[in-house]
Amino acid sequence: MSKIRIGVVGYGNLGKGTEYAIKQTEDTELAAVFTRRDPSTLKILTEGVPVYSVNEILDHKDEIDVLILCGGSATDLPKQTPELAKFFNTVDSFDTHAKIPQHFANVDAAAKEGGNVALISVGWDPGMFSLARLYGSCVLPEGKDYTFWGRGVSQGHSDAIRRIEGVLDARQYTVPVESAVESARSGQNPELTTRQKHTRECYVVAEEGADKARIEQEIKTMPNYFADYDTTVNFISQEELDRDHKGIPHGGFVIRSGHTGKNNETSQIIEYRLKLGSNPEFTSSILVAYARAAYRLNKEGVAGCKTVFDIAPAYLSPKTGDELRASML
Amino acid sequence: MSKIRIGVVGYGNLGKGTEYAIKQTEDTELAAVFTRRDPSTLKILTEGVPVYSVNEILDHKDEIDVLILCGGSATDLPKQTPELAKFFNTVDSFDTHAKIPQHFANVDAAAKEGGNVALISVGWDPGMFSLARLYGSCVLPEGKDYTFWGRGVSQGHSDAIRRIEGVLDARQYTVPVESAVESARSGQNPELTTRQKHTRECYVVAEEGADKARIEQEIKTMPNYFADYDTTVNFISQEELDRDHKGIPHGGFVIRSGHTGKNNETSQIIEYRLKLGSNPEFTSSILVAYARAAYRLNKEGVAGCKTVFDIAPAYLSPKTGDELRASML
């Protein structure tokens, strides 16, 4: 059986994680990596796989079954996904929730024009958490959703701290408040404010002689990022940051608290929980599973933009329907 | 918009739960209940909905969009689902895992003959737990699955105790061992035996003067049901049983413990957890969501037997694709 030939666009954390994830499968293979850097400077893990400039990607159209787009949501994907979905089946992890409808429309037009399947917003949130919210709301229509994130590193919040004057480096953890998680699990359907659900924990390396009180104040009052949260700021050395905070753990909970029965008197709780040693590696593993689905759907003649909501779970597995029913149902 | 007209076959706990669940939706309605009892003796909750003999069900073919089959897996469904899938879209909760492939084959032939969609093995295990196992194994192919059930009432085990001489009534709880759940969550991928994963807790009402030591011994050594477990037996009065053990709670955990990374060095844990006030009411709510999917798929021209693995999640929701992407992704 020939393997599904996957092209990876972008070789950062997500691109590397995709390379690792492909190695865990028997039915996919890494066919090429496309980069904006000078390809000759990029050394990848898998022997014998070519690295090309992303500018020449169309020359390699016939070598690729599905492209996994490993760029960022701020500037890369809004441009890249519609451009490439015209020529390839694609999977991206576009995660700016508010802009998903616009991204969907752009990508859908391109994918239909090219007769390709383009899966967007694949990952864990959006992605597996979205599925937990959807299944939960469908099987318990009378109820309330709670999504908690963490304990995990937020890259966006870490970057925001690094932009403050006098800060050399920083790492920010989003931390769910245990008592809030417990109250969501209680079946009481509490109303929880932003401040009640999460705290923010910051580890900051300051320049020698910097005004730490001012830095702490700037962090804690930063609108959108920190002002609505209880935030703690810890000043540490670069050595401590590198030693104790180099991982990219994450995770969280989606809780559906619903009621059933003659008079809605019965409490029913569904909880989906992730505890991730590496956020990008987990996202990459999901991207590879959905690349399999994109390939199969396109083989069946499907074209257009899709999300995790549109993919029947069986398409994610290398097993046949018979095997799945016998072993997993 | 006209509602999806649902027929319920069988009016036990599952049938009643289905009636409650339909009332929580805006796009489905209870069209009729079919019973093996004398229809005139059956009083249902919803005003104005007819109750018919199941023997006359074909006379009402044009009044029903989807039948939800609320019989048991031992004798009802193996016969009923193939018979009825010839004439109706159907959803059943067939839960004898080992016999699913045979049931699938029988139902598939019938459903294709009639041009209908027949969804089998819908509920939480098989069902939502199966989905957790499938998604988990697809996104973390290097890993191990753990399914724990409970704390919850097992009807089959309770029945087995009631068949012992001298027993008037009984209730059996399956209880997951907390330390085993913790070790499954640890990322160490432990091997766990049947005895290590669950204990069994029995509440037994004995006849006046019965030999309780013999009853306890018979329970604890019963093959398949109890012999492989650490079992505790508590003798209580009928009043205590009725007062303290009348609910049908259940639940459990599906844990996927996987590894990612260059050398599979990163631990990633996915956990799906249910805490159910009522087992049959939760199952019924799932049946109604999948009835919506069966109806829609059939409208698109699909026919044949399907399981939860074959249903794209969006089909379960009354919301449109645009609404789902904007609100839940």
Side-chain angles (χ1 to χ4, degrees), chain B residues 267-281:
Chain B
S267 169
Q268 312 271 22
I269 311 281
I270 306 172
E271 180 173 329
Y272 182 81
R273 176 180 189 174
L274 296 174
K275 197 177 146 201
L276 308 176
S278 162
N279 180 354
E281 285 177 14

Side-chain angles (χ1 to χ4, degrees), chain B residues 137-148:
Chain B
S137 71
C138 293
V139 304
L140 293 174
E142 295 279 343
K144 211 164 144 49
D145 274 338
Y146 299 89
T147 301
F148 293 91

Side-chain angles (χ1 to χ4, degrees), chain A residues 282-299:
Chain A
F282 187 63
T283 300
S284 300
S285 283
I286 301 169
L287 291 170
V288 171
Y290 277 92
R292 181 182 291 123
Y295 173 76
R296 289 182 175 176
L297 278 170
N298 189 242
K299 281 276 171 213

Side-chain angles (χ1 to χ4, degrees), chain B residues 12-34:
Chain B
N13 283 333
L14 214 50
K16 282 181 195 138
T18 301
E19 184 177 21
Y20 306 153
I22 289 169
K23 284 160 61 81
Q24 290 191 342
T25 71
E26 293 192 349
D27 63 334
T28 73
E29 64 182 4
L30 182 63
V33 170
F34 300 93

Side-chain angles (χ1 to χ4, degrees), chain B residues 165-186:
Chain B
E165 200 193 317
V167 172
L168 291 173
D169 204 350
R171 191 65 44 97
Q172 195 267 186
Y173 295 90
T174 305
V175 184
V177 176
E178 186 56 36
S179 61
V181 177
E182 282 304 324
S183 79
R185 281 183 187 132
S186 72

Side-chain angles (χ1 to χ4, degrees), chain A residues 2 10 17 23 52 54 87 99 117 136 138 149 153 169 172 190 196 205 229 245 281 286 289 309 315 320:
Chain A
S2 69
K23 285 161 60 83
Y52 300 119
V54 73
F87 304 101
K99 294 183 178 167
V117 168
C138 293
W149 296 274
V153 173
D169 205 349
Q172 194 267 185
Q196 285 171 321
V205 182
Y229 298 85
H245 303 282
E281 286 177 14
I286 301 169
F309 294 158
Y315 282 93
T320 66

Side-chain angles (χ1 to χ4, degrees), chain A residues 24 130 133 137 139 142 259-260 264 266-269 271 273 275-278 281 285 309 314 328-329, chain B residues 24 130 133 137 139 142 259-260 264 266-269 271 273 275-278 281 285 309 314 328-329:
Chain A
Q24 290 191 343
S130 319
R133 288 187 286 262
S137 72
V139 304
E142 295 278 344
H259 283 84
T260 60
N264 287 357
T266 312
S267 168
Q268 314 271 20
I269 312 281
E271 180 173 330
R273 176 180 188 173
K275 197 177 146 199
L276 307 176
S278 162
E281 286 177 14
S285 283
F309 294 158
M328 285 203 191
L329 198 61
Chain B
Q24 290 191 342
S130 319
R133 288 187 286 262
S137 71
V139 304
E142 295 279 343
H259 284 83
T260 60
N264 288 356
T266 313
S267 169
Q268 312 271 22
I269 311 281
E271 180 173 329
R273 176 180 189 174
K275 197 177 146 201
L276 308 176
S278 162
E281 285 177 14
S285 282
F309 295 158
M328 284 203 192
L329 198 60

Side-chain angles (χ1 to χ4, degrees), chain A residues 157-182:
Chain A
H157 288 78
S158 302
D159 290 344
I161 298 172
R162 278 192 284 264
R163 285 191 294 265
I164 293 174
E165 200 192 315
V167 172
L168 291 173
D169 205 349
R171 191 63 45 97
Q172 194 267 185
Y173 295 90
T174 306
V175 184
V177 176
E178 186 57 35
S179 61
V181 177
E182 282 304 324

